[in-house]
Amino acid sequence: MTNPELVIRKAVWKGEEVDLLVADGKILDIIPSSDAMYEGAEVVAARGYLLMPSLTDVHTHLREPGFEYKEDIASGLKAAVHGGFSNIMCMANTSPVNDNAVITAEMLNKAHAAFPNGPRLFPVGALTKGLEAKELSSMHDLADAGCVAFSNDGVPVKNTELFRRALEYASDTGKPVIDHCEDPYLELGAGMNEGAVSSLLGLAGQPDVAEAAQVARDLLLAEYLDIHIHLAHISCRKSIDLIAWAKKRGVKVTAETCPHYLLLTEEAVEGYGTDTKVNPPLRTADDVEALLQAIREGIIDMFATDHAPHAAHEKEVEFMVAPCGISGLDSALSLTWELVASGKITFDDFIRMWTTAPCETFGLPLNSFKKGDVADFFLFAPDEEWTLSPETMHSKGKNTPFLGQTLKGRVISHFLGGKKIV
Amino acid sequence: MEWRHKDLLDISQLSKEDVWHIFETATYFQEINSRPVKKVPTLKGHSVVLFFAEPSTRTKTSFDMAGKRLSCDTFSLAKSSSSLTKGETLKDTALTLEAMNIDGIVIRHWASGAAAFLAERLDCSVINAGDGRHAHPTQALLDGFTLYQEWGALEGKTVLILGDIAHSRVARSNVIMLTMMGAKVRFCAPRTLLPPNIKSWPVEVFSDVNEASKGVDAIMCLRLQLERQQAGLLPDVREYSRYFGLGPKQVELASPNVKILHPGPMNRGVEIDSALADSASSLVLDQVASGVAVRMALLYLYLTRKK
Ligand SMILES: [Zn+2]
């Protein structure tokens, strides 16, 4: 047997106290904990901590190039690694848009320069040139340059014929299309759910059918073309019912939801706090219930943060003027851990939603604590409390409605490819 | 009664007792408005800024006159709404006003929540003179005061609100005030001009204006923004006025002493028959007079509140 370079001693994995042995950046073995001596190995005492595979976020906005004042690749990855993530997929709505191989390469260079050992960046290429929803982007070029998926996130493709062709063309590259589902005519730039609260506040609302109508379109196309499609940030019961229907018919569909859709409702918007303005908007208690049920039943496949950092001055404005988005990388782990702690989802759901499903769906390196897996993992103190504040956040974006809240569960140290990063 | 509220953002912040107190105070000031010399020194040395980010001659003049009749110094800070599309401006406006050490600000703004935005950041009183489609509490209070002067009490009365309710801050604030004061409220409008969750409102909803008018004690017409047609919310103004406008037929169906209100400015012949606007049933000009008295009462109560 090779000698381990790193030994994590007496950490807990699935209820057992184990020693994790790492060599060559990979998992050598996991064995019942002992006091065995390992010649030349670095030994980390981890008693009392949970061993967790690093998380994968399939949906972030890192803002570089173009909007570095909101976030840059280095600050985004820093927030990611402190938040428990090893793999980050970043959306293409930068300036210039990531619709050509040069931009993709530059993003990857920046990521590597900031964090040579990870977290790893996996760019999502634009589905259409300039995200203008007029012409297909050069998807083969983008895939060769390192894009792992294509999306027009933020600017839905209204033209269904063009969207069909985009799905077909993308399928040749073997990379999935991620769709932000929103009927652009029903959305009215609202940033809040249409219903009781929007009526009370006198704000234009976006109805849940704006999302569900486009979900339905996408599912019908995916079935007709027999092509896999991934649906981003699902927020409401109507969409879930449609996805469940499609999955039953064997449609190749995967779907994600975000922590804020599980922990907040439209009532959070009362008081016009712009940190609650997201797209799709926060929905109702009934939608939250449907989402949790869908996670338990596997209808929703994975979590994503939809990390969308903005500068303070951009959010300190009238609600209708404010940009949409929550800065999510710093808090996503603790927020979703809360769902496990309160018994709303199981530990297995949690692991599937943050690691297995995203890695398998997008072909990213996965650590499932099997021999030979990449050694991406972190030590987690599940009961340790911390306060989400501008000081404790590593992202430049401090825009989150959870600011000031005491969260439970913290990353103690994070190892990527067997190297300690945090 | 000691006034303790700092800001007036919407009617929902007030209790029934608060509204009665405003009406009583306004009754007192109404009397001053009928004197030959319409000025008292009550608010001498106080200053109020009238910040109208959305044009409104009517409401602004009413506040200006209310302030001046109480010897309060009023300053206008009017900005064209186009220069306010950049959000920093509202925060900067707040900081500027804070630095001027004023006693109150009256704000009219196109964005729902703009008054709340200022109130959060300022120590002085903020009075909402209309924010987006959210609230228009001073209009609701003057409407209520007008009816109170007619009827003495609002309990048991039925008020029909007719027109573009979906986009109306006047309707929103009036529903809260009228139901709080014991009146019943009816809505009548095409479905495209009703709020989406209408079932949860404490109102009876009609799509037939004749049904809606039967036996009501007052009809409040709302101004139809003619752009609603381009927005695809109605086919044309002619059809609207025929099916949802107020005409003689509805007045016949209503209670014999029905009162007609309109927050102005009116589109004569669109939401209201021109002759009805000038008829004996019309309280449109009483509303204007009440407006000054109610706003005097509000400035007085908010600026001299117990801190
Ligand atoms: Zn999106």
Side-chain angles (χ1 to χ4, degrees):
Chain A
M1 184 175 118
T2 335
N3 284 334
E5 290 152 15
L6 172 71
V7 177
I8 308 293
R9 180 155 276 170
K10 296 191 193 310
V12 173
W13 169 239
K14 292 200 167 165
E16 307 286 328
E17 203 169 80
V18 298
D19 290 350
L20 173 73
L21 316 182
V22 176
D24 295 330
K26 300 216 162 81
I27 294 190
L28 190 62
D29 211 349
I30 301 181
I31 52 172
S33 70
S34 70
D35 293 319
M37 301 289 286
Y38 294 99
E39 203 58 36
E42 187 194 346
V43 177
V44 176
R47 176 162 258 168
Y49 298 135
L50 298 186
L51 206 48
M52 282 259 211
S54 299
L55 317 183
T56 291
D57 187 9
V58 301
H59 196 136
T60 71
H61 298 270
L62 293 187
R63 307 302 188 199
E64 185 175 2
F67 307 102
E68 289 83 353
Y69 68 97
K70 295 176 194 263
E71 186 86 291
D72 55 48
I73 287 171
S75 65
L77 291 180
K78 193 172 176 207
V81 75
H82 279 87
F85 294 92
S86 58
N87 302 322
I88 292 299
M89 284 165 55
C90 64
M91 289 294 156
N93 62 339
T94 47
S95 177
V97 166
N98 182 22
D99 63 0
N100 68 76
V102 178
I103 306 287
T104 308
E106 187 57 21
M107 285 177 159
L108 291 170
N109 285 340
K110 286 263 166 87
H112 191 75
F115 289 93
N117 298 310
R120 298 178 205 91
L121 187 66
F122 296 96
V124 175
L127 190 66
T128 61
K129 283 183 189 138
L131 294 176
E132 286 179 345
K134 286 182 188 140
E135 295 169 76
L136 300 183
S137 63
S138 308
M139 291 186 237
H140 284 285
D141 264 4
L142 287 166
D144 286 347
C147 288
V148 296
F150 304 105
S151 180
N152 236 57
D153 185 55
V155 195
V157 180
K158 310 185 202 186
N159 180 332
T160 304
E161 158 68 7
L162 181 71
F163 191 67
R164 170 208 171 143
R165 299 307 172 193
L167 280 173
E168 289 177 323
Y169 194 83
S171 72
D172 287 339
T173 70
K175 312 287 179 195
V177 168
I178 303 173
D179 197 26
H180 169 129
C181 294
E182 182 183 21
D183 181 313
Y185 298 104
L186 278 174
E187 64 92 16
L188 299 168
M192 118 151 270
N193 187 45
E194 179 171 285
V197 181
S198 70
S199 221
L200 189 79
L201 296 178
L203 291 171
Q206 186 224 83
D208 56 2
V209 293
E211 176 179 302
Q214 194 138 313
V215 166
R217 175 195 81 165
D218 287 8
L219 294 172
L220 291 170
L221 278 177
E223 178 176 49
Y224 178 63
L225 303 170
D226 193 27
I227 290 172
H228 170 226
I229 190 166
H230 178 78
L231 305 180
H233 42 56
I234 291 301
S235 71
C236 64
R237 181 183 287 278
K238 285 191 181 75
S239 301
I240 289 162
D241 289 349
L242 291 163
I243 296 165
W245 168 83
K247 284 193 165 178
K248 227 177 259 168
R249 290 167 68 90
V251 177
K252 292 173 187 159
V253 55
T254 48
E256 70 192 39
T257 192
C258 312
H260 43 271
Y261 299 120
L262 301 164
L263 292 157
L264 298 173
T265 65
E266 58 179 359
E267 276 150 36
V269 184
E270 281 170 15
Y272 302 96
T274 55
D275 284 341
T276 62
K277 186 175 177 185
V278 266
N279 188 13
L282 301 172
R283 306 286 188 190
T284 66
D286 178 61
D287 293 304
V288 171
E289 202 33 66
L291 285 168
L292 287 166
Q293 184 66 25
I295 292 171
R296 295 188 287 258
E297 292 175 2
I299 294 160
I300 295 282
D301 301 88
M302 64 192 81
F303 284 130
T305 61
D306 196 4
H307 176 69
H310 291 292
H313 71 270
E314 294 173 309
K315 279 283 196 179
E316 201 180 356
V317 295
E318 303 87 321
F319 191 87
M320 288 307 283
V321 175
C324 290
I326 288 175
S327 179
L329 282 171
D330 289 277
S331 54
L333 167 61
S334 298
L335 292 172
T336 47
W337 183 252
E338 167 62 30
L339 298 171
V340 179
S342 61
K344 290 186 175 124
I345 63 172
T346 65
F347 182 74
D348 286 351
D349 290 330
F350 178 86
I351 295 293
R352 165 179 62 89
M353 297 274 293
W354 274 130
T355 67
T356 342
C359 289
E360 281 167 1
T361 303
F362 295 99
L364 312 184
L366 166 70
N367 175 7
S368 49
F369 290 121
K370 289 202 287 286
K371 286 184 197 185
D373 276 352
V374 59
D376 289 356
F377 60 89
F378 58 90
L379 295 175
F380 186 62
D383 296 322
E384 202 168 305
E385 293 187 342
W386 61 289
T387 303
L388 187 66
S389 70
E391 293 72 37
T392 56
M393 292 177 76
H394 296 277
S395 167
K396 286 187 190 174
K398 314 298 180 189
N399 51 301
T400 160
F402 300 104
L403 212 63
Q405 283 193 18
T406 302
L407 305 179
K408 237 181 179 183
R410 207 170 63 82
V411 175
I412 301 301
S413 49
H414 197 161
F415 297 81
L416 295 172
K419 292 201 168 57
K420 188 169 186 282
I421 307 291
V422 172
Chain B
M1 182 179 191
E2 272 180 7
W3 201 257
R4 292 183 177 275
H5 301 286
K6 172 183 165 283
D7 309 299
L8 177 59
L9 304 180
D10 194 10
I11 298 290
S12 54
Q13 296 174 309
L14 302 175
S15 67
K16 195 170 172 176
E17 290 66 43
D18 290 333
V19 175
W20 276 122
H21 188 59
I22 291 167
F23 287 178
E24 277 161 18
T25 314
T27 308
Y28 170 74
F29 286 121
Q30 185 87 306
E31 187 272 319
I32 292 173
N33 286 333
S34 59
R35 292 179 196 171
V37 177
K38 301 168 188 61
K39 193 158 180 144
V40 290
T42 316
L43 291 180
K44 200 159 187 208
H46 289 77
S47 48
V48 162
V49 166
L50 308 179
F51 174 44
F52 278 62
E54 187 186 72
S56 160
T57 324
R58 187 176 281 257
T59 305
K60 194 173 163 193
T61 309
S62 180
F63 266 110
D64 199 14
M65 195 168 285
K68 291 201 162 93
R69 286 190 177 166
L70 295 173
S71 305
C72 177
D73 296 317
T74 58
F75 302 90
S76 282
L77 191 71
K79 290 202 177 173
S80 75
S81 46
S82 62
S83 73
L84 276 159
T85 44
K86 282 266 177 281
E88 293 92 333
T89 319
L90 189 56
K91 187 193 171 190
D92 286 342
T93 305
L95 296 173
T96 307
L97 291 169
E98 190 73 331
M100 287 177 182
N101 247 319
I102 51 170
D103 302 296
I105 171 167
V106 174
I107 176 179
R108 157 69 60 95
H109 201 281
W110 49 267
S112 297
F117 183 99
L118 281 193
E120 232 170 71
R121 288 165 178 78
L122 296 175
D123 288 329
C124 73
S125 285
V126 175
I127 293 177
N128 185 4
D131 63 327
R133 347 172 160 168
H134 172 230
H136 197 348
T138 67
Q139 177 73 41
L141 288 167
L142 79 86
D143 291 340
F145 180 66
T146 309
L147 292 171
Y148 158 75
Q149 289 209 309
E150 280 299 313
W151 297 334
L154 277 66
E155 264 112 18
K157 301 285 186 184
T158 302
V159 179
L160 167 64
I161 303 181
L162 194 57
D164 184 1
I165 292 150
H167 303 90
S168 173
R169 53 194 174 213
V170 175
R172 240 166 265 271
S173 291
N174 257 303
V175 168
I176 302 171
M177 191 214 50
L178 291 168
T179 49
M180 180 164 72
M181 301 311 282
K184 288 200 191 70
V185 181
R186 293 181 184 178
F187 279 175
C188 182
R191 177 80 188 264
T192 49
L193 297 180
L194 286 173
N197 65 324
I198 193 69
K199 287 193 189 91
S200 66
W201 288 50
V203 298
E204 243 189 305
V205 184
F206 294 80
S207 53
D208 178 333
V209 69
N210 294 328
E211 281 298 313
S213 306
K214 277 183 188 157
V216 297
D217 300 292
I219 301 175
M220 191 180 287
C221 297
L222 299 175
R223 179 180 168 78
L224 180 75
Q225 303 290 325
L226 300 172
E227 311 89 80
R228 301 293 175 226
Q229 184 186 346
Q230 276 94 54
L233 299 174
L234 46 105
D236 60 68
V237 168
R238 183 201 61 85
E239 177 161 305
Y240 178 85
S241 77
R242 209 172 136 199
Y243 288 87
F244 298 98
L246 179 67
K249 170 126 192 246
Q250 288 75 47
V251 172
E252 262 169 48
L253 292 164
S255 144
N257 288 316
V258 68
K259 300 296 168 198
I260 295 166
L261 294 95
H262 193 301
M266 292 184 281
N267 293 310
R268 285 173 184 263
V270 179
E271 69 266 0
I272 187 165
D273 179 276
S274 187
L276 284 179
D278 303 327
S279 72
S281 311
S282 169
L283 296 180
V284 174
L285 295 176
D286 303 68
Q287 286 174 279
V288 178
S290 299
V292 178
V294 164
R295 286 167 179 135
M296 286 168 84
L298 292 171
L299 288 176
Y300 168 73
L301 292 170
Y302 281 85
L303 265 51
T304 63
R305 73 185 194 276
K306 273 269 185 297
K307 282 169 204 170

